Structures are given as C-alpha cells and as structure tokens.
Amino acid sequence: MRSKMATNIRKQNDRYVNDVITNTQSDEIHITEDKLRLKLIKHFDRYRKSKEWIAYLGNAVAIGIALMTTTFNETWGIPAYIWRDIVWVAEFFFIYKFIVSLFNTIRYNISIDKIIQDIES
C-alpha cells in the first residue's frame, strides 16, 4: 500500500518537476588528530588576529569623541594638560594598533578554502 501511494505522489509531482539533479560526490580527507589540532590552532590564531581591528577602531573612535567633547580639569593634583596628553597618547596607541591589525587582516585573509587546503597538505 505504501509503495503504491509513493508512486502516485511521484507521478503527480512529475508534472511540476522538469529534472532532478543529484550532487552527492565528496572528497574524504584522512589526517591524524594531532596534525589537525596544530593546523586548526594556527588558523584560529590567524582568525582571531584578523578580527582585532574592530576593537581597536572602537576604542580609537570613543577616545577621539572624548577628546573633542571634554574639557580637562586638574584632578588628584595632576594638571589638566597632563590628563589631555595621557588621553592623546592612548588615542595614538589605539590608532597605531588599528592600523597594524588592519594590515594583519589583509595579510592573513582567512577563508575556509585556505584552511582545507592547508589540512590537505
């Protein structure tokens, strides 16, 4: 009964379906666990470094806005100009780190294909 019902459904669907394409071919990669761990650790570090620019840009923008909108005053016996200079040093630090991490992002250029290619080698 069940196979007769499936045949009827297939006949009904044939009028709507022109062609059925199957793509089930796949490659199999054999690798030891320790080699896979080492390769994934390397790529994980590169991936993490390629995303660092986001945090540095956020900090640089936040400090830049603070520099534009803040009036520095003497606090804890430290003159206002020293506070301003400390914030400027922090701003330059985060801009520098942003530029370096942006170059790392371009240099590492992580993709799934590169990871698979490295695992295959």
Side-chain angles (χ1 to χ4, degrees), residues 2-80:
R2 188 175 182 111
S3 64
K4 190 183 256 188
M5 190 171 158
T7 305
N8 288 339
I9 291 172
R10 177 169 285 209
K11 285 180 182 177
Q12 290 174 355
N13 287 340
D14 283 345
R15 64 182 168 180
Y16 300 113
V17 178
N18 292 331
D19 194 13
V20 176
I21 300 171
T22 57
N23 184 6
T24 57
Q25 185 177 1
S26 181
D27 295 329
E28 187 174 325
I29 301 170
H30 292 273
I31 188 170
T32 61
E33 182 180 349
D34 59 333
K35 282 185 179 180
L36 181 61
R37 273 186 200 278
L38 292 172
K39 290 178 186 267
L40 289 177
I41 286 170
K42 178 179 78 174
H43 283 285
F44 179 75
D45 287 341
R46 286 182 176 175
Y47 177 78
R48 187 175 42 83
K49 286 180 181 178
S50 72
K51 301 298 179 199
E52 286 179 343
W53 68 270
I54 299 167
Y56 294 130
L57 177 63
N59 287 331
V61 168
I63 292 173
I65 291 171
L67 278 169
M68 290 186 282
T69 60
T70 302
T71 304
F72 293 96
N73 297 318
E74 181 177 340
T75 308
W76 298 322
I78 301 174

Side-chain angles (χ1 to χ4, degrees), residues 72-114:
F72 293 96
N73 297 318
E74 181 177 340
T75 308
W76 298 322
I78 301 174
Y81 70 92
I82 292 181
W83 284 117
R84 187 188 68 235
D85 293 345
I86 290 171
V87 175
W88 271 109
V89 167
E91 176 71 4
F92 288 129
F93 171 76
F94 283 115
I95 290 173
Y96 167 76
K97 290 297 283 184
F98 167 70
I99 292 169
V100 168
S101 62
L102 202 58
F103 282 123
N104 285 338
T105 300
I106 294 167
R107 184 177 70 179
Y108 291 136
N109 193 17
I110 300 298
S111 71
I112 297 295
D113 293 331
K114 285 186 178 184

